[in-house]
Amino acid sequence: MTQAPLKEAPEKEPLSATATGAQADATGAYAIVEASGQQFWLQPDRYVDLDRLNAEVDSTVTLENVLLVKDASGTTLGQPYVTGATVELKVMAHRRGQKIIVYKMRPKKKTRRKNGHRQELTRVMVQSIKVGGKAIA
């Protein structure tokens, strides 16, 4: 019994950063901020959903509780906040989150309670990250 010769697979070129789907900007700058009791990783020109903010659509909101800033020069960690660092956000829309079902049941007691909840959210776009008045991204 003879075996057919194996074909060699053609060599593949390494994928570039854009081909792999990693859409990080050239500087790779980001900030970790505290908003509504949670911490969020924010990058420029990306949107995120925060708990409902008391702001009009298309207005600008500034967050000053910046915990960490990373830019081309390095990483700055606050104790607890980075002094002079701010993140500017543009309010895109007010939305509601996915519906969550809360079902409580006491076994053997014929007691059941079904409840639904939709969180009120605000979708914001990160405009810029500033440290000491200079925009790093």
Side-chain angles (χ1 to χ4, degrees):
M1 186 171 186
T2 61
Q3 291 182 340
L6 296 175
K7 293 183 181 178
E8 290 185 24
E11 290 187 29
K12 294 183 178 179
E13 296 179 20
L15 296 175
S16 65
T18 56
T20 59
Q23 298 277 333
D25 58 356
T27 60
Y30 64 87
I32 297 177
V33 300
E34 182 182 22
S36 65
Q38 300 174 12
Q39 295 177 7
F40 294 94
W41 176 306
L42 300 180
Q43 291 179 304
D45 299 324
R46 298 216 178 168
Y47 69 85
V48 67
D49 290 335
L50 304 175
D51 281 348
R52 182 62 60 99
L53 298 174
N54 191 11
E56 296 293 324
V57 176
D58 292 331
S59 65
T60 303
V61 177
T62 303
L63 297 179
E64 297 177 354
N65 295 343
V66 181
L67 302 168
L68 180 139
V69 174
K70 186 205 175 285
D71 56 355
S73 64
T75 304
T76 306
L77 183 63
Q79 297 177 354
Y81 303 118
V82 178
T83 56
T86 59
V87 177
E88 287 188 4
L89 308 170
K90 180 181 178 184
V91 178
M92 295 172 63
H94 295 295
R95 318 177 65 225
R96 295 179 78 192
Q98 275 190 321
K99 188 166 193 173
I100 297 171
I101 303 298
V102 180
Y103 188 76
K104 296 185 179 181
M105 181 187 91
R106 295 179 64 198
K108 302 177 189 173
K109 302 286 190 252
K110 292 188 179 180
T111 302
R112 289 161 176 79
R113 190 171 74 203
K114 184 177 178 182
N115 222 347
H117 176 75
R118 290 186 71 182
Q119 186 68 30
E120 301 284 331
L121 301 173
T122 299
R123 180 163 283 182
V124 294
M125 175 72 76
V126 179
Q127 297 268 302
S128 66
I129 302 171
K130 295 182 180 181
V131 178
K134 295 181 186 176
I136 62 166

